[in-house]
Amino acid sequence: EVKNTGTGKGTMLNRDGNGAALWIDTEATTGGHGIYFDAPALTTGHAIVIADWAAATTGAALKVQLNGTALATTSASGVIDVSSTGNTASNVNNLLFIKNDHASSTGTIGIKIQQDANAYALDVRSKATSGASAGAKLRLHTDDTAVMGSGDRLGVIYFAGAEDTSN
C-alpha cells in the first residue's frame, strides 16, 4: 500500500526505454478488476489523464480490445460501459464528451464507426414516452455564434454507398 496524504505524487514510474511501464496480469474471473479507481472525494479534475501525446503518428491513446465471444448481446453492458446512476435532473451533464478543439482541424472526424458485420453500426434507444409531442430525440445542432441568414443550412445528413467494388 502506498499512502500519500500530501499533494505530491503517490507513486511515479519513469520508463525511458521502449516497452510497458506498467504491466498487470490478472486471472480474476468474477468480481475482480485489473485496475480499480476509488475516488469518491474527487470533485474537480480527472480520474485518468493521458497528457501531451503529441508525438504519436500511429496507434491510439486508449485501446480496448475484446477477442472473446462470451459477452452476451442481452447483457446490460458492453466492451465499454459508461453509466450514470445519480439523479442529474438539476445538473445537466454529458456521459460522453468528444471535442475537436482546433477550428482548423477539418480532417478530424468526431466519431467514426466501422461495422464489418451485417448489423447496426449505431443503435440509439430511448425510454422516453411516446406521443404526439414526445418520443426519442436525436439532435443535429449548428452554432457558429453568428445569426442565421435566410437560406442558411442547419446541417446535413449524408447517405453514401460504394459505387463499385473498390469502396
Side-chain angles (χ1 to χ4, degrees), residues 83-95:
S83 58
S84 173
T85 59
N87 181 352
T88 61
S90 63
N91 188 22
V92 177
N93 59 55
N94 304 306
L95 289 182

Side-chain angles (χ1 to χ4, degrees), residues 108-123:
T108 299
I109 297 172
I111 297 176
K112 182 172 183 172
I113 300 171
Q114 178 176 327
Q115 169 60 289
D116 290 342
N118 186 16
Y120 295 120
L122 180 64
D123 185 3

Side-chain angles (χ1 to χ4, degrees), residues 3-7:
K3 185 172 185 176
N4 180 357
T5 58
T7 58

Side-chain angles (χ1 to χ4, degrees), residues 27-45:
E27 278 77 30
T29 58
T30 59
H33 306 285
I35 299 175
Y36 181 82
F37 292 93
D38 187 5
L42 184 65
T43 58
T44 61

Side-chain angles (χ1 to χ4, degrees), residues 49-56 61:
V49 174
I50 301 171
D52 300 327
W53 195 55

Side-chain angles (χ1 to χ4, degrees), residues 55-140:
T57 57
T58 62
L62 176 65
K63 180 177 181 176
V64 179
Q65 183 173 336
L66 175 69
N67 292 326
T69 59
L71 183 62
T73 58
T74 57
S75 69
S77 188
V79 175
I80 297 175
D81 180 356
V82 179
S83 58
S84 173
T85 59
N87 181 352
T88 61
S90 63
N91 188 22
V92 177
N93 59 55
N94 304 306
L95 289 182
L96 180 62
F97 180 75
I98 298 172
K99 181 178 184 179
N100 177 7
D101 203 15
H102 197 289
S104 299
S105 186
T106 58
T108 299
I109 297 172
I111 297 176
K112 182 172 183 172
I113 300 171
Q114 178 176 327
Q115 169 60 289
D116 290 342
N118 186 16
Y120 295 120
L122 180 64
D123 185 3
V124 180
R125 297 180 188 211
S126 173
K127 297 249 179 181
T129 55
S130 61
S133 61
K137 298 174 182 160
L138 184 61
R139 178 172 147 178
L140 179 63

